[in-house]
Amino acid sequence: MSTISKSDVAYVAGLAQLDLDEAATARLVGEMNSILGYMEKLNELDTDAVEPMMHAMALTNVFRDDEVKPSLPRELALRGAPLHDDEYFLVPKILDTEGGGA
Amino acid sequence: MSDWFNKTAFEIREAVAQGDVSAREVTTSFLDRIEAVDGAVGAYTQLWNDDALAQADAVDAKVKAGEALGALAGVPISLKELICTTSGETTCSSRILNGFQSPYNATVTKKLLAADAIVLGKVNMDEFAMGSSTENSAIQKTANPWKLSCVPGGSSGGSAASVASATSALSFGSDTGGSIRQPAAFCGCVGLKPTYGRVSRYGLVAFASSLDQIGPLSKDVRDAALALNVITGKDPLDATSADLPAEDFTQALTGDVKGLKIGLPKEYFVDALSSEVRTMVEASIEVLKAQGAEFVEISLPHTDYAVAVYYIVAPAEASANLARFDGVRYGFRHPDAKNVAELYVKTKTEGYGKEVQRRIMLGTYVLSSGYYDAYYLKAQKVRTLIKQDFDEAFKQCDVILTPTAPAPAFTMGEKSSDPLEMYLNDIFTISANLAGIPGISLPCGLSESGLPVGLQLLGKAFDEATLLRTAHCYEANAGISLGTPPIA
């Protein structure tokens, strides 16, 4: 496994939708190298013949009948929204084009 | 008037049911206690005095009318900040959920209300349950009631501190890698992590979905059994909840451990264990031996890899779960975003604290293209080996006995600069979550510096009955009653 560079941290921050400043990036380079370095010990084990464990309970496809049931009332679903118009969640415009011609 | 706040949930329920005391009097006793000591402890993040008294009056009306009472009638409880309640807020002690009012109750909340418990309020935690000291809360600090300069443990630190300081008779927390058991050990109370699937996770804000489980923190083992009775059961709203016949776990507390086989994993009695904790845990072995339990040395050979597996699997699941907090549907939204992409980034960057950002970064990294096989898949394979260790061990024994944490509570700030050192504090608790088995921590003494030390018992999947029976027998015969600490 490899060492984490500043540009790796910046790349992962982009995937995670975080905006890290210089100081945070530098701190995370050190911390992630230390933590992921510790994870290297897993390579001591030969796991070629081992099945991965996805979950604590071995469950596959928990089915139920497809029945229509009451769902959360709209006003409750919208109650926590930072901005809404009683029907929809409102967000800033998605396409940031000149003249707002989206 | 007696100090009802010092009574167990079981005693309170009995007294209320028999009309010896009103639920209002009991609730008032706890509210006064909170007023007196919680300023110093800082367990509560929200207090619902009026609602609690109204609930108490409703219980008293039932008593008067001779109606059937719930299993926790009149028992004042607290809930960790990540259990959804339509009352008050559900913040996960995070800025990103500041002001969030859940539109629904968690299944556990519903069951507790149906059992006539009195909800006093919500208690502090590490942000999104990520931490072992409750220092990662964005709301406030919580102190260890036994020594206010020390941490209460975490992430359910508010739950443990409230039970230990007698400001709630029971508290409900969650355990993803030890978050119930470790704070219970640090604060000198009983903390139970049920088997994965035993308790519905509906309405528990998700941290790592394959590991999370809700459980009670209590003054004693009987209260843990009583609380477990109320919260278990199949829930159609949680597909991973197990469909099992209802059990009365208080019936398991027979006091009899004759012939019970208890395993001692040699990998847990290592150098990292403080000699003080080792001495106390070894003394607990003698207590159970005297009651007729048999001890066998066992091996859990992959123990040393558990921390590495956990800190890959849990952050990976967390990075996926926490993607939903984006400032659109609920919670905090950054006011300055000019478009949606900026809205997500600014909201998350401002909304999440340091530790949560660190785990999202780790989780995103180990799931990212090119690293998935090397880290995530590798960790899941070693998780299989850890689970197989327990399967093998439980062929030789019924219960496993270990320390809960390598040392008693540490001082605030002591480990907060080195995340890896903080993570290593979880070495004895996280294997149970990876394997999905139940575990309980209970007090086994006070250290020289006056801090509680925890003993951990681990059981077979869905065999909480044997786990509780063993814990109860130890508690009844150890002669260790820590009582309530003088808070100063």
Side-chain angles (χ1 to χ4, degrees), chain A residues 1-4 8-13 15-20 24 27-28 31-32 34-57 59 62 64 69 72 76-83 89-96, chain B residues 86 101-103 196-197 209-210 239-240 242 302 304-305 307-309 311-312 327-331 333 337-340 343-345 348-349 352 354 357-358 360-362 364-366 368 371 374-375 377-385 387 419-420 423-424 434-436 462:
Chain A
M1 292 186 228
S2 49
T3 35
I4 314 277
D8 292 333
V9 167
Y11 170 69
V12 174
L15 294 176
Q17 297 178 312
L18 294 171
D19 178 22
L20 304 176
R27 178 172 52 79
L28 276 160
E31 288 172 355
M32 287 177 72
S34 145
I35 295 162
L36 292 164
Y38 177 80
M39 308 308 186
E40 300 271 342
K41 71 189 302 164
L42 295 179
N43 292 325
E44 295 165 9
L45 298 169
D46 178 359
T47 53
D48 285 350
V50 181
E51 283 296 310
M53 179 173 168
M54 309 288 182
H55 218 266
M57 260 178 28
L59 285 170
V62 180
R64 59 167 172 77
K69 287 182 185 165
L72 202 61
L76 267 184
L78 289 170
R79 188 176 73 178
L83 208 59
F89 298 108
L90 297 182
V91 294
K93 60 184 167 185
I94 291 177
L95 294 174
D96 201 12
Chain B
T86 53
Q101 292 179 286
S102 172
Y196 186 86
S209 308
S210 81
T240 63
H302 297 95
D304 204 24
Y305 302 96
V307 171
V309 171
Y311 280 97
I312 291 171
V328 174
R329 289 153 301 154
Y330 37 69
R333 171 187 290 195
K338 289 185 198 68
N339 54 48
V340 168
L343 174 80
Y344 295 154
V345 171
K348 285 169 185 282
T349 305
Y352 290 136
K354 250 187 204 167
Q357 292 198 11
R358 188 182 295 132
I360 290 173
M361 288 290 291
L362 276 173
T364 306
Y365 181 79
V366 300
S368 67
Y371 298 100
Y375 290 103
L377 189 65
K378 182 78 185 183
Q380 286 188 311
K381 288 181 168 190
V382 181
R383 185 176 179 184
T384 301
L385 297 175
K387 164 83 164 48
L420 187 56
Y423 298 171
L424 289 170
L434 292 170
F462 299 108

Side-chain angles (χ1 to χ4, degrees), chain B residues 424-479:
Chain B
L424 289 170
N425 192 59
D426 302 338
I427 47 173
F428 300 141
T429 48
I430 57 184
S431 293
N433 301 80
L434 292 170
I437 59 174
I440 190 168
S441 178
L442 60 164
C444 66
L446 280 183
S447 73
E448 267 175 40
S449 54
L451 286 164
V453 171
L455 168 72
Q456 177 177 241
L457 299 168
L458 303 172
K460 297 175 186 172
F462 299 108
D463 191 13
E464 282 87 351
T466 305
L467 192 66
L468 289 162
R469 172 158 63 96
T470 314
H472 175 254
C473 180
Y474 170 76
E475 181 186 70
N477 294 287

Side-chain angles (χ1 to χ4, degrees), chain B residues 102-449:
Chain B
S102 172
Y104 55 84
N105 277 323
T107 296
V108 162
T109 307
K110 269 189 249 167
K111 284 175 180 279
L112 290 167
L113 291 173
D116 293 324
I118 313 293
V119 187
L120 300 177
K122 288 262 181 83
V123 284
N124 204 19
M125 58 185 281
D126 284 299
E127 182 179 3
F128 282 102
M130 296 175 189
S132 309
S133 67
T134 311
E135 292 170 289
N136 296 333
S137 166
I139 302 176
Q140 64 196 34
K141 292 265 178 272
T142 299
N144 189 310
W146 290 88
K147 198 178 198 182
L148 297 176
S149 57
C150 286
V151 301
S155 67
S156 308
S159 290
S162 82
V163 170
S165 62
T167 56
S168 60
L170 287 173
S171 188
F172 293 82
S174 63
D175 190 314
T176 304
S179 279
I180 289 173
R181 291 161 287 155
Q182 184 257 24
F186 279 14
C187 291
C189 50
V190 173
L192 172 66
K193 181 204 96 74
T195 309
Y196 186 86
R198 182 63 98 169
V199 179
S200 167
R201 291 181 294 111
Y202 180 73
L204 169 70
V205 179
F207 161 14
S209 308
S210 81
L211 304 163
D212 297 341
Q213 190 64 191
I214 296 176
L217 294 98
S218 57
K219 281 196 177 76
D220 65 11
V221 175
R222 186 170 55 176
D223 277 4
L226 186 66
L228 189 61
N229 281 352
V230 171
I231 60 173
T232 55
K234 174 73 185 167
D235 178 7
L237 297 170
D238 174 6
T240 63
S241 62
D243 196 1
L244 294 166
E247 263 180 84
D248 178 359
F249 293 101
T250 62
Q251 294 296 311
L253 313 181
T254 58
D256 181 13
V257 294
K258 271 186 203 70
L260 189 83
K261 286 208 167 59
I262 302 178
L264 296 171
K266 58 179 186 209
E267 292 83 2
Y268 281 61
F269 294 85
V270 287
D271 293 344
L273 182 61
S274 84
S275 59
E276 213 177 7
V277 173
R278 179 193 293 265
T279 306
M280 279 186 239
V281 171
E282 283 171 355
S284 73
I285 297 171
E286 297 310 314
V287 171
L288 285 162
K289 249 184 207 166
Q291 297 304 310
E294 293 167 28
F295 281 81
V296 285
E297 188 179 283
I298 57 162
S299 176
L300 298 165
H302 297 95
T303 298
D304 204 24
Y305 302 96
V307 171
V309 171
Y310 177 83
Y311 280 97
I312 291 171
V313 171
E317 294 186 20
S319 72
N321 274 325
L322 269 60
R324 65 170 63 95
F325 303 105
D326 55 12
V328 174
R329 289 153 301 154
Y330 37 69
F332 167 73
R333 171 187 290 195
H334 197 285
D336 298 339
K338 289 185 198 68
N339 54 48
V340 168
E342 220 178 88
L343 174 80
Y344 295 154
V345 171
K346 282 187 186 286
T347 298
K348 285 169 185 282
T349 305
E350 283 262 312
Y352 290 136
K354 250 187 204 167
E355 179 62 25
V356 173
Q357 292 198 11
R358 188 182 295 132
R359 302 234 190 156
I360 290 173
M361 288 290 291
L362 276 173
T364 306
Y365 181 79
V366 300
L367 291 175
S368 67
S369 170
Y371 298 100
Y372 182 93
D373 284 2
Y375 290 103
Y376 188 60
L377 189 65
K378 182 78 185 183
Q380 286 188 311
K381 288 181 168 190
V382 181
R383 185 176 179 184
T384 301
L385 297 175
I386 290 168
K387 164 83 164 48
Q388 287 171 351
D389 283 355
F390 281 101
D391 292 345
E392 283 304 308
F394 282 125
K395 288 177 186 164
Q396 300 164 62
C397 62
D398 306 296
V399 169
I400 294 171
L401 184 150
T402 79
T404 307
F410 45 90
T411 309
M412 284 187 192
E414 188 184 326
K415 291 182 199 277
S416 46
S417 60
D418 183 352
L420 187 56
E421 201 191 329
M422 188 73 94
Y423 298 171
L424 289 170
N425 192 59
D426 302 338
I427 47 173
F428 300 141
T429 48
I430 57 184
S431 293
N433 301 80
L434 292 170
I437 59 174
I440 190 168
S441 178
L442 60 164
C444 66
L446 280 183
S447 73
E448 267 175 40
S449 54

Side-chain angles (χ1 to χ4, degrees), chain A residues 10 19 47 80 85-86 97-98:
Chain A
D19 178 22
T47 53
D85 67 357
D86 294 328
T97 51
E98 286 294 316

